[in-house]
Amino acid sequence: MNARALRQRLESLQAAGVAEIPKNSMRGRQPTAMGQRAATAASQAPQPVVSTAIADDRIASLRILAEQVAGCTRCAELAEARTNTVFGVGRPDARICFLGEAPGADEDASGEPFVGRAGQLLTKIIEACHLRREDVYILNVLKCRPPGNRQPAADEVAHCRGYFERQVELVSPQYICCLGTTAAQALLQTTEPIGRLRKRWFTYGSAKVICTYHPSYLLRNPAAKRDVWDDMKVMMADMGVEL
Ligand code: URA
């Protein structure tokens, strides 16, 4: 990489909220499945820098909220069936939040959002944006797996609303990317379908909101990856990052 390209790359990362990069983290980048340059392998990647008192407060508040979620029995069916509640993962002061629908079997087993096939695709999307999972914050509307991966019921979304809204408030991102219909409709409190919510900016508190297709949909309809990539380019360009 020449000096100009390196400078541009560093400016992009800074604009995306990456505060620190170790010496060798710019090496070894490979093209990804989405045809873009991926973030470096995790072993070479910078660790998130979360050292301010504000971030410490957020971490403590998020932990308390996660404990409340872990003991939640508002949805009797879900609470009974779950192995783990699935709270959220990533930087407590991330500039970008990705909001999904609900845990699946892999997430229920591990307690971490987006670790199954759809999660691996989400990780690729994040990396294609020159970021790593650790640079963003990932959460779901529902904190428990709906049995059989059925769609969340309206009362279940209502029961979890206080949790995901507080979570977003604590992280206080500048951008929220809603993944799929359930996330977009729950956050924006609308009944419009995802097709009509894409390609528009919304606001949620002080955050800009963009909506795109859910990674699970992309697994069933790979042709829609191009649309998601277009949405990511719009979001990253707004952050000052050219993809
Ligand atoms: N789908 C989601 O919406 N969330 C997950 O955590 C996994 C799959």
Side-chain angles (χ1 to χ4, degrees):
M1 188 182 287
N2 65 32
R4 189 158 161 270
L6 180 63
R7 190 170 54 248
Q8 280 172 352
R9 173 104 187 88
L10 288 169
E11 282 167 3
S12 285
L13 285 167
Q14 193 177 36
V18 175
E20 193 172 88
I21 300 178
K23 263 200 293 201
N24 62 355
S25 72
M26 304 296 284
R27 289 191 206 138
R29 293 177 180 278
Q30 301 293 328
T32 66
M34 296 191 80
Q36 304 297 320
R37 296 162 65 168
T40 5
S43 61
Q44 293 179 305
Q47 293 307 303
V49 180
V50 184
S51 58
T52 64
I54 292 172
D56 287 347
D57 277 358
R58 283 182 208 188
I59 292 167
S61 301
L62 285 166
R63 192 168 295 143
I64 291 166
L65 188 62
E67 279 164 16
Q68 287 170 8
V69 165
C72 182
T73 55
R74 286 179 196 168
C75 309
E77 186 196 10
L78 273 52
E80 208 160 294
R82 76 186 174 217
T83 310
N84 289 296
T85 52
V86 179
F87 184 66
V89 72
R91 284 185 71 126
D93 59 350
R95 284 186 76 191
I96 310 175
C97 272
F98 287 90
L99 178 66
E101 178 175 307
D106 295 309
E107 292 77 20
D108 175 66
S110 68
E112 184 171 336
F114 282 100
V115 293
R117 278 184 71 219
Q120 285 158 24
L121 183 51
L122 176 61
T123 302
K124 277 189 185 171
I125 293 167
I126 290 167
E127 290 179 349
C129 293
H130 300 174
L131 294 166
R132 302 163 309 152
R133 275 173 75 97
E134 306 93 296
D135 297 322
V136 302
Y137 192 86
I138 304 171
L139 73 162
N140 284 309
V141 169
L142 289 202
K143 307 306 178 195
C144 298
R145 180 191 183 207
N149 292 346
R150 64 162 168 75
Q151 264 207 294
D155 65 328
E156 293 164 349
V157 173
H159 291 161
C160 260
R161 176 167 298 285
Y163 296 138
F164 73 76
E165 288 192 343
R166 177 74 181 132
Q167 221 173 340
V168 170
E169 186 187 338
L170 284 168
V171 176
S172 192
Q174 289 170 22
Y175 294 87
I176 301 170
C177 178
C178 294
L179 301 166
T181 306
T182 300
Q185 292 186 345
L187 189 82
L188 300 172
Q189 306 215 51
T190 176
T191 54
E192 283 199 78
I194 189 70
R196 289 230 295 274
L197 296 170
R198 283 187 62 239
K199 300 185 182 173
R200 289 158 68 183
W201 284 108
F202 297 90
T203 54
Y204 179 84
S206 58
K208 287 182 158 184
V209 179
I210 197 161
C211 303
T212 195
Y213 294 124
H214 192 284
S216 298
Y217 175 75
L218 301 185
L219 293 173
R220 297 190 302 272
N221 300 280
K225 285 183 184 177
R226 177 147 297 284
D227 296 324
V228 171
W229 185 238
D230 288 343
D231 298 337
M232 293 302 103
K233 282 201 283 198
V234 168
M235 180 174 74
M236 298 308 288
D238 200 75
M239 294 178 75
V241 179
E242 294 303 325
L243 298 176

